[in-house]
Amino acid sequence: MLKKVVGFLLFPILLLVASAWKSPGRNSSKLTQEQWVDSVMSSLSEEQKIGQLFMVAAYSNKDQKHINEIEELVRKYNIGGLIFFQGGPGRQVNLTNHYQSIAKVPLMIGMDAEWGLGMRLDSTLFFPKQMTLGAIQDDSLIFKMGAEIARECRRIGVHINFAPVVDINCNPNNPVIGMRSFGESKELVAAKGIAYMNGMQAYKVLANAKHFPGHGDTETDSHVGLPVINHTKDRLDEIELYPFKKLIEAGVMSMMVGHMHIPALDNTPNIATTLSKNVVTDLLRGDLGYQGLIFTDALNMKGVSSFYKPGEVDLMALLAGNDVLLYSENVPNAIKKIQKAIKDNEISAEEVHSRVRKILRAKYWLGLNEYQPIELKNLHSDLNNSKARSIQTELYQKALTVVNNQESRIPIRILDTTTFASVSIGKGLENEFQRMLSNYAPFTHFAIEDKNAEEAVYTKVLEQLRKYEVVVVGVHNTNLFNSKTYGITENTKRFIARLNEQGITTIVSVFGNPYSLKYFIDSPNLICAYEDNEITNRLVPQLVFGGISASGKLPVSVHANMPVGHGLLTDNTLHRLRYSFPENEGMDGKTLLRIDSIVEKSIADKAMPGCQVLVAKNGAVVFSKNYGYLTYDKQQPVTSSTVYDIASISKVAGTLQAVMFLQERGLIKLDKKISYYLPELKGTNKDDLIIRDVLTHQAGLIPFLPHWKKTVDTSGYMKAYYSTTKDTLYTREVVPGVYCIKSIEDTLWAWTVESDLLKKPKRAKKHDYVYSDLGFYIMKRVVERILNQPLDEFMQQNFYDPLGLATLTYKPLEKYSVDKIAPTEDDKYFRMTLIRGTVHDQGAAMLGGCAGHAGLFSNANDLAVIMQMNLQYGYYGGLRYFLPETIPYFAKKQFEKNRRGLGWDKPEPSGNGPTSNYASPNTFGHTGFTGTAAWVDPDQNLVYIFLSNRVHPDASNNKLIRASVRTVIQDVIYQSILNYKE
């Protein structure tokens, strides 16, 4: 038996007040809801009252003929509303303002925007489809989405969103619901439907539960035919009606009746539920006690239009008990038929008026009694702000579902001894999925763009993959339909099956319908991403490498081993960088956008040709942008993979990491003399230098030594030092085609040892703070002496490879193409060429590219990783690189009159230092001569990276420094924290 549910009393008589209006429907001052409704009703003719029952289809991408037709319906027939379909937000706003201006009673504007405005309008956001939402375990996120969709709807003048779909998709072959349903569990569908509903209605947008009494177990699309459901009343009451009853209890303000034929409820031949009095009046209004607005599904759909003519179908829908006639195809004819039905006593005028009054009460609740035109200014930015995007991304992230995870291979932990490859099936090379994978480890990427390619194409890729240890596969460009095998080709299935058999660790991610997982049940490591878009393509690599964790559960049953509710949690302790939005981490995204204008002005002023800016907060990259070009001729734009010479940041990202490594193992004592570790300094003016003083730049060392000047004369390079041919004697590449003698390091060391010291101030125990490169020449020597290993090899083995850093390296030309590297100076005094791929610093170049003070290259992401590891006090990716106390000790200010930490630079306590004055005293990092900066603020859990080649083409260009561009940007970062509001 169908159970009667206490209905939600919709549209109570509110004691709200409205401002004065000059025309009927927008009338006199301070009316209650019922007073306003009465005033409108009294102003309308019988025909105009009937017109309020109609909501017709409108488009913002059609011609003037369509606009004229809508105008006539508004002016002449006083229709109650419009449902907008395809178009654009600006055009729709203009049309809405126009139509509202000619309406006697303000129009109720609707949209079928189940997954946001992006379902219908260009240049707007889309949110996850409901089956994707069904995987999410936290329903508060669904509420947030509903609230955001409501905000966007109201921003463009939309009052009702025809969502949520609360059909239970218990039939995998359903051709029309599928991904539009939250899933196959009635409890899940009800809970998520209520969350979505509450989010919208809390922000004054009517929710609409559809498609009553349940469209989930059909195999016919009601757009093209009339589905038949042969369930019993008991089954319908137990399953299909369950979510609708729960939403009625929770206060859903409108309902849509679908086009289905259900003999158990009405056995009249070919009668759709929409047109059935048994269903709409007796069941929905009577048994379930529903008092809210009842909409028909679109009356142009074949489920009804195949059997009844326009006008006739409208009358039948009204007689069945519906309030709003949606997508009427012939309003004038329908009004005539309704008027005749009243005259013939098929329906009373009082009954029609009662439904009009319900519609008017809804309009009052929506604020249409005091309608104001929609503002066009800032429309695009309002609809596409970073807070909305953060909600969008968070939803997709929380839906990600790990279905299989053999031996907990997801997330991948070990990076340095593993070779990685990726394969994208259905997409071309270097797509967003592959670019994000490369943020975590060095990858070789493959693609089978045409998924219908012959088996030979798949086999060729399979053979190339044999030499890799881990292969991450993305299955893209799928479809929603079981009848079309969800777009998964036989060759794709065979390829993945053969790959699994090769003994390679294979991780397969399906960017599509969860039902399609049935083709990959034997994949030992399997991820369902549900949808294929830029967001999911960026999220899955983060899951694979532990930047984010998986918590999603399958909303439908796929296989006996993959039932509804199945989903494996993954490790969330690796603390690798993830990629998020400012609002998710307590920052204001709009404030951060000021960085754009700062950088663009700097580029226009030729302070630099381009740059990368990255901001990470709480372990999440919230801002990462590339600006400008590698050179001023604008031939090659800066991309995320562009690599920069990071200059003196090498001191802290290279040498200092090794020093900290040795110190915490007791292999270096900071208060010992350097001569203890380098006996050749005994008896020299550097005999008494203390390591702590060297690291804080107060050992009395002169700022720099132009060693290169001793190796050239008026004719150019001295043959004693250089050769144009690389051989066993001349091994160190200064620039391509010029090689320095192997023994040059000893020569430079001798010149360094012989260098003068600065004079110590009178009666001072220590030298003043004077920044010097020489200290890190010395510290590299100490490190290599103790380790008995070159610095670059040690750093690669112990830091860069385990951290998965593909670009952070010395001597980059040995590892990747010169095309990836931003050029520095057009050197007209030493190397006589454009410097690109070899280190800018002359002394480091003479050493072959690896020095204690310079030599490292990186992109912003890889530099952010090592800085994040330092921010996390030595922990990253599940590995501990330093004891927790080591980095705070080195990052601490050491002396009262010296801002420096041990190796690390610090804010100037009095201000006007290398950092923003907002930076906390615990901030540490470094800047680089080439126009770079890397800063960490533990108090704000913040990483800031700025990379440029401001020295191109001339190192004397100091516009970037004079304008304090790096610091001004850092100011904006802190302001975004201060400006953040929940």
Side-chain angles (χ1 to χ4, degrees):
M1 291 293 293
L2 298 175
K3 300 174 185 177
K4 184 170 181 176
V5 178
V6 176
F8 173 71
L9 185 58
L10 184 65
F11 311 133
I13 299 176
L14 303 176
L15 297 178
L16 302 177
V17 296
S19 57
W21 290 85
K22 295 182 180 179
S23 62
R26 313 173 190 229
N27 61 339
S28 60
S29 62
K30 298 183 180 179
L31 299 180
T32 65
Q33 183 191 63
E34 286 305 299
Q35 288 171 334
W36 183 79
V37 171
D38 288 342
S39 72
V40 174
M41 290 293 288
S42 65
S43 72
L44 302 178
S45 68
E46 191 65 22
E47 184 180 69
Q48 289 172 335
K49 289 172 185 171
I50 294 172
Q52 286 294 295
L53 300 172
F54 295 90
M55 180 174 273
V56 303
Y59 296 79
S60 58
N61 63 351
K62 287 193 174 183
D63 58 15
Q64 188 62 42
K65 180 184 177 211
H66 170 73
I67 295 171
N68 294 342
E69 289 169 353
I70 300 296
E71 284 181 345
E72 182 179 17
L73 292 173
V74 174
R75 291 182 191 274
K76 186 173 180 180
Y77 296 100
N78 194 44
I79 58 173
L82 302 172
I83 175 173
F84 271 99
F85 287 92
Q86 288 83 10
R91 288 167 284 162
Q92 181 167 319
V93 165
N94 281 325
L95 284 173
T96 298
N97 283 338
H98 172 61
Y99 296 143
Q100 292 283 22
S101 73
I102 63 174
K104 183 178 179 70
V105 180
L107 297 160
M108 182 190 296
I109 306 296
M111 281 190 73
D112 199 358
E114 295 165 17
W115 54 89
L117 299 185
M119 179 175 171
R120 299 296 182 189
L121 303 179
D122 60 38
S123 63
T124 55
L125 290 183
F126 59 86
F127 291 88
K129 295 182 175 65
Q130 288 190 194
M131 192 168 285
T132 307
L133 299 174
I136 297 172
Q137 300 306 294
D138 181 359
D139 288 346
S140 69
L141 299 177
I142 315 298
F143 177 93
K144 279 172 62 176
M145 182 197 78
E148 176 55 31
I149 289 175
R151 184 193 69 79
E152 294 176 19
C153 283
R154 293 303 301 229
R155 181 63 184 85
I156 65 167
V158 169
H159 311 110
I160 177 168
N161 181 18
F162 292 102
V165 174
V166 290
D167 303 312
I168 302 167
N169 201 76
C170 43
N171 187 340
N173 297 322
N174 194 318
V176 63
I177 303 301
M179 290 291 287
R180 297 168 67 195
S181 167
F182 289 115
E184 70 178 52
S185 161
K186 65 180 185 180
E187 293 85 3
L188 178 146
V189 169
K192 286 178 166 44
I194 289 170
Y196 191 175
M197 171 200 84
N198 283 336
M200 287 194 290
Q201 293 185 174
Y203 290 86
K204 291 290 184 178
V205 166
L206 267 66
N208 183 272
K210 63 186 189 185
H211 306 82
F212 186 84
H215 207 323
D217 194 5
T218 65
E219 294 190 20
T220 301
D221 183 347
S222 53
H223 293 85
V224 298
L226 181 62
V228 178
I229 298 175
N230 285 309
H231 293 314
T232 66
K233 287 185 178 181
D234 286 345
R235 152 66 194 242
L236 292 166
D237 185 44
E238 178 67 22
I239 304 297
E240 276 75 12
L241 289 177
Y242 179 89
F244 294 97
K245 291 188 288 187
K246 290 297 181 184
L247 265 74
I248 290 171
E249 290 175 2
V252 68
M253 299 182 78
S254 72
M255 191 88 72
M256 179 184 287
V257 183
H259 303 317
M260 295 154 280
H261 180 58
I262 306 178
L265 300 180
D266 191 333
N267 60 10
T268 306
N270 297 326
I271 193 74
T273 45
T274 332
L275 310 182
S276 169
K277 185 173 184 292
N278 291 358
V279 173
V280 183
T281 297
D282 297 344
L283 174 58
L284 181 53
R285 291 187 185 279
D287 291 347
L288 300 185
Y290 185 59
Q291 298 180 37
L293 274 182
I294 301 174
F295 288 74
T296 68
D297 205 343
L299 295 176
N300 70 328
M301 292 167 62
K302 296 299 182 183
V304 290
S305 65
S306 296
F307 305 100
Y308 307 100
K309 294 178 181 179
E312 180 183 6
V313 72
D314 302 76
L315 174 60
M316 291 180 69
L318 186 69
L319 294 174
N322 295 283
D323 299 313
V324 182
L325 308 175
L326 187 67
Y327 211 136
S328 175
E329 292 188 284
N330 192 332
V331 171
N333 189 32
I335 289 176
K336 289 177 182 177
K337 287 189 176 293
I338 293 170
Q339 287 176 319
K340 185 176 185 301
I342 294 171
K343 183 178 179 181
D344 294 345
N345 294 318
E346 292 183 73
I347 188 170
S348 69
E350 290 74 20
E351 176 59 27
V352 172
H353 293 174
S354 72
R355 300 190 199 176
V356 175
R357 292 181 73 89
K358 283 174 67 177
I359 293 166
L360 293 175
R361 290 189 191 107
K363 290 186 176 185
Y364 185 93
W365 183 85
L366 291 164
L368 285 170
N369 59 310
E370 46 186 6
Y371 170 78
Q372 294 293 327
I374 310 151
E375 176 63 60
L376 266 169
K377 186 179 180 182
N378 299 324
L379 181 66
H380 179 79
S381 59
D382 287 346
L383 295 177
N384 293 274
N385 63 72
S386 59
K387 185 173 183 179
R389 291 183 180 279
S390 74
I391 294 170
Q392 177 193 45
T393 300
E394 186 177 16
L395 291 163
Y396 279 112
Q397 176 186 329
K398 297 299 184 183
L400 294 178
T401 305
V402 173
V403 182
N404 294 334
N405 193 8
Q406 186 181 72
E407 298 177 358
S408 299
R409 298 285 177 86
I410 304 170
I412 294 169
R413 288 167 173 78
I414 307 302
L415 306 183
D416 54 337
T417 59
T418 307
T419 54
F420 294 96
S422 81
V423 184
S424 284
I425 301 173
K427 277 195 175 179
L429 273 175
E430 291 302 311
N431 53 69
E432 194 63 36
F433 173 62
Q434 293 180 327
R435 283 193 290 271
M436 183 58 75
L437 285 170
S438 290
N439 279 345
Y440 288 98
F443 264 84
T444 302
H445 299 296
F446 300 88
I448 303 171
E449 186 169 4
D450 180 6
K451 62 185 180 181
N452 296 305
E454 296 180 356
E455 188 168 2
V457 175
Y458 284 86
T459 300
K460 182 179 179 181
V461 174
L462 194 67
E463 290 170 354
Q464 293 174 297
L465 294 173
R466 295 183 191 278
K467 63 182 178 180
Y468 297 95
E469 295 165 285
V470 173
V471 177
V472 183
V473 181
V475 180
H476 304 274
N477 193 21
T478 61
N479 66 51
L480 301 177
F481 307 109
N482 182 51
S483 61
K484 299 179 180 179
T485 66
Y486 303 104
I488 312 294
T489 66
E490 288 300 319
N491 282 339
T492 297
K493 298 175 199 174
R494 278 195 293 271
F495 172 80
I496 291 175
R498 291 173 65 190
L499 189 60
N500 290 332
E501 294 167 359
Q502 289 189 353
I504 297 169
T505 296
T506 304
I507 298 173
V508 176
S509 182
V510 178
F511 293 92
N513 193 313
Y515 287 120
S516 69
L517 297 173
K518 66 184 180 181
Y519 300 122
F520 308 109
I521 56 175
D522 294 326
S523 291
N525 306 291
L526 182 61
I527 298 168
C528 184
Y530 298 94
E531 299 179 42
D532 191 3
N533 54 52
E534 183 175 320
I535 300 164
T536 56
N537 279 238
R538 286 171 59 84
L539 286 170
V540 168
Q542 297 178 59
L543 171 60
V544 168
F545 284 97
I548 59 177
S549 58
S551 59
K553 306 282 186 183
L554 289 176
V556 292
S557 295
V558 176
H559 181 267
N561 297 331
M562 300 177 187
V564 62
H566 172 71
L568 305 173
L569 303 180
T570 60
D571 186 358
N572 64 351
T573 65
L574 298 190
H575 297 298
R576 289 193 176 113
L577 278 177
R578 52 195 168 85
Y579 298 79
S580 184
F581 282 85
E583 281 73 12
N584 286 348
E585 309 305 330
M587 302 178 78
D588 179 61
K590 186 176 283 189
T591 302
L592 283 177
L593 291 178
R594 296 177 195 166
I595 294 172
D596 293 352
S597 57
I598 295 167
V599 171
E600 287 160 6
K601 183 179 187 304
S602 297
I603 292 172
D605 291 344
K606 294 196 172 181
M608 58 185 175
C611 68
Q612 296 172 343
V613 181
L614 183 148
V615 181
K617 181 89 160 62
N618 303 330
V621 175
V622 297
F623 187 96
S624 181
K625 284 194 177 183
N626 311 298
Y627 300 90
Y629 295 82
L630 272 59
T631 58
Y632 289 111
D633 61 11
K634 299 183 178 181
Q635 294 298 304
Q636 189 175 347
V638 176
T639 69
S640 296
S641 61
T642 300
V643 174
Y644 286 92
D645 180 338
I646 63 174
S648 282
I649 296 175
S650 303
K651 292 180 173 73
V652 296
T655 310
L656 185 63
Q657 303 294 308
V659 171
M660 292 191 293
F661 176 93
L662 294 173
Q663 185 272 340
E664 71 174 22
R665 287 161 177 76
L667 298 174
I668 285 181
K669 302 291 184 183
L670 298 180
D671 292 311
K672 276 189 174 290
K673 295 179 179 180
I674 287 184
S675 58
Y676 176 83
Y677 303 99
L678 301 175
E680 63 267 32
L681 294 180
K682 292 185 182 293
T684 72
N685 63 353
K686 298 174 181 61
D687 190 344
D688 293 327
L689 298 188
I690 305 297
I691 291 180
R692 188 181 302 274
D693 292 333
V694 170
L695 291 174
T696 53
H697 298 271
Q698 60 177 41
L701 297 167
I702 59 176
F704 68 97
L705 283 172
H707 291 306
W708 65 274
K709 291 185 177 180
K710 295 184 179 182
T711 65
V712 296
D713 57 20
T714 54
S715 62
Y717 296 119
M718 295 182 182
K719 292 183 180 179
Y721 298 108
Y722 301 99
S723 171
T724 56
T725 304
K726 186 175 183 179
D727 55 28
T728 56
L729 185 61
Y730 295 92
T731 59
R732 301 174 186 270
E733 186 178 71
V734 180
V735 288
V738 178
Y739 304 92
C740 208
I741 195 165
K742 184 178 182 179
S743 61
I744 193 65
E745 185 157 8
D746 291 335
T747 303
L748 297 190
W749 176 241
W751 294 342
T752 301
V753 172
E754 293 168 4
S755 65
D756 294 331
L757 293 179
L758 298 171
K759 289 184 178 181
K760 191 181 296 183
K762 290 182 180 180
R763 293 184 294 276
K765 293 182 179 180
K766 291 186 178 294
H767 287 86
D768 287 339
Y769 159 60
V770 176
Y771 180 77
S772 173
D773 283 341
L774 269 62
F776 278 82
Y777 274 93
I778 294 170
M779 292 313 302
K780 175 178 180 283
R781 193 84 170 184
V782 171
V783 165
E784 292 183 337
R785 184 72 58 85
I786 297 172
L787 292 172
N788 195 29
Q789 184 182 19
L791 175 65
D792 55 340
E793 290 182 12
F794 172 80
M795 291 303 301
Q796 200 70 45
Q797 292 169 9
N798 291 277
F799 290 91
Y800 307 150
D801 285 345
L803 287 166
L805 308 182
T807 67
L808 183 58
T809 188
Y810 299 94
K811 308 172 190 175
L813 293 178
E814 296 179 1
K815 299 178 182 177
Y816 42 78
S817 167
V818 69
D819 293 338
K820 292 180 65 173
I821 306 170
T824 53
E825 187 175 12
D826 186 4
D827 186 348
K828 299 184 182 303
Y829 49 89
F830 173 39
R831 286 157 286 187
M832 304 303 176
T833 189
L834 177 66
I835 309 303
R836 187 172 189 182
T838 49
V839 61
H840 176 262
D841 181 89
Q842 300 91 344
M846 293 170 70
L847 293 171
C850 177
H853 66 294
L856 279 174
F857 287 71
S858 185
N859 68 1
N861 188 81
D862 281 0
L863 184 55
V865 168
I866 197 165
M867 297 302 287
Q868 184 69 31
M869 180 271 285
N870 280 268
L871 174 60
Q872 293 169 182
Y873 296 152
Y875 182 83
Y876 192 90
L879 298 176
R880 180 152 288 289
Y881 294 84
F882 297 108
L883 297 173
E885 61 270 19
T886 298
I887 293 169
Y889 178 70
F890 274 75
K892 183 179 179 182
K893 186 172 180 287
Q894 299 293 304
F895 300 102
E896 183 182 350
K897 295 183 179 181
N898 180 346
R899 72 170 188 255
R900 294 269 175 169
L902 293 165
W904 296 104
D905 201 358
K906 302 276 293 171
E908 188 64 62
S910 60
N912 299 315
T915 68
S916 166
N917 289 341
Y918 293 111
S920 78
N922 293 319
T923 298
F924 59 95
H926 218 282
T927 55
F929 180 79
T930 50
T932 58
W935 292 101
V936 161
D937 186 343
D939 290 13
Q940 292 291 347
N941 208 0
L942 189 69
V943 173
Y944 163 48
I945 306 294
F946 180 95
L947 300 182
S948 78
N949 55 336
R950 67 100 190 161
V951 295
H952 175 79
D954 185 350
S956 66
N957 177 9
N958 62 1
K959 293 178 182 177
L960 187 83
I961 299 165
R962 286 205 317 268
S964 299
V965 171
R966 290 169 286 188
T967 305
V968 171
I969 290 173
Q970 197 175 19
D971 286 340
V972 171
I973 294 167
Y974 283 99
Q975 288 162 5
S976 77
I977 298 172
L978 295 171
N979 292 345
Y980 173 71
K981 295 177 182 177
E982 289 282 355

